[in-house]
Amino acid sequence: MSSVLLGLVAALSWGVNDFLARFPSRSVGPLHTVLVVTFAGLLILTAWLLLGGHSIRISWPQLWLPAASGIFFTLSTLSLFAALALGPLSLVAPIAGSYPALAMIFDVAQGARPSLLQWLAVAAVLAGVVLVSRSGEAYERSGFIPSGKLKAIVALALCASFGSAVSQTSGQAAAVELGEITAILLARIFGLITLGAIYLMRRSRGELPPRWLPLLGLMGGLDVAGLAAILAAGNLPDPAFAVVAS
């Protein structure tokens, strides 16, 4: 399977996940949503590992790679869901989805040499972010988003983009060093620890109605499927193409 095809699998998984995320994020809040989705994903992943008899190998010097992947992926998802709780998908998704341009820049820092066409694509993505951000003013004027919230929505979407780029770049490196299964499992554990710390620091924690659990469980499965596809590309030629395709 090629890196591009794996990226398309991730695109389908995360696209459906982001579409569904609007509803629980606006009803029970982004933190509850991400916390349950991450926990559900970890349960699904653990069950799959146990049933498949897969082995886990941990190399301590490289442990920071899945740690960075899990922490930044969690913060990215939390920022994305917070942005979706405030603004429309048509505004948030294009900005948050600009992370391949950042991932390409990270690859350059590691020695990659993109072609002129790839640099032009990066420039087009960044120009698109600016255009979409400016179009948000029409949403604000029409009352489609709360007055004064446009800057917060754009900032959260940009944080989601940056976090995704860091998470996927470090996650692919972790998959090469530790194996994709170990990398995904450790990333999920570190992500859940991060969410737990944020949850405990909050004064007002609220409640999660049980009716949301089936949907959040489905989102957890989609989340793991998307991340697994991206990290699996770390062992193939041109892994950055999977990030771009996603």
Side-chain angles (χ1 to χ4, degrees):
M1 186 174 290
S2 70
S3 296
V4 173
L5 186 56
L6 286 171
L8 294 176
V9 171
L12 177 62
S13 300
W14 284 334
V16 175
N17 189 48
D18 291 351
F19 174 78
L20 296 175
R22 298 179 302 164
F23 307 108
S25 293
R26 294 179 180 182
S27 178
V28 301
L31 182 58
H32 276 105
T33 301
V34 181
L35 182 62
V36 177
V37 167
T38 303
F39 183 69
L42 182 60
L43 288 180
I44 294 170
L45 181 60
T46 302
W48 176 58
L49 292 176
L50 291 176
L51 292 175
H54 298 284
S55 60
I56 301 297
R57 55 187 179 89
I58 298 177
S59 176
W60 295 108
Q62 284 78 34
L63 194 61
W64 71 273
L65 290 170
S69 179
I71 292 171
F72 276 95
F73 188 82
T74 296
L75 296 177
S76 170
T77 307
L78 193 58
S79 298
L80 174 63
F81 287 6
L84 289 172
L86 294 173
L89 187 66
S90 57
L91 174 62
V92 175
I95 300 175
S98 65
Y99 62 86
L102 297 176
M104 186 68 74
I105 294 173
F106 292 160
D107 282 343
V108 171
Q110 297 176 43
R113 293 295 176 263
S115 66
L116 176 61
L117 184 60
Q118 290 170 327
W119 277 120
L120 290 175
V122 170
V125 169
L126 297 179
V129 169
V130 174
L131 290 174
V132 171
S133 301
R134 291 182 63 84
S135 71
E137 296 174 0
Y139 284 116
E140 197 169 34
R141 287 194 301 269
S142 65
F144 195 66
I145 61 176
S147 178
K149 295 295 185 181
L150 178 59
K151 289 183 179 180
I153 293 171
V154 172
L156 286 167
L158 287 173
C159 287
S161 175
F162 178 79
S164 292
V166 175
S167 172
Q168 294 187 27
T169 301
S170 57
Q172 287 184 336
V176 173
E177 296 291 340
L178 305 172
E180 58 204 55
I181 296 174
T182 302
I184 297 170
L185 180 65
L186 291 176
R188 276 290 167 274
I189 292 174
F190 279 109
L192 195 59
I193 291 172
T194 303
L195 282 170
I198 295 173
Y199 184 79
L200 292 175
M201 287 189 294
R202 290 191 59 176
R203 293 181 180 180
S204 177
R205 297 172 186 171
E207 296 181 357
L208 177 66
R211 68 176 182 273
W212 288 107
L213 294 179
L215 177 61
L216 295 176
L218 172 62
M219 290 171 60
L222 290 169
D223 188 31
V224 168
L227 185 61
I230 289 294
L231 298 196
N235 292 308
L236 297 177
D238 301 314
F241 288 176
V243 179
V244 173
S246 72

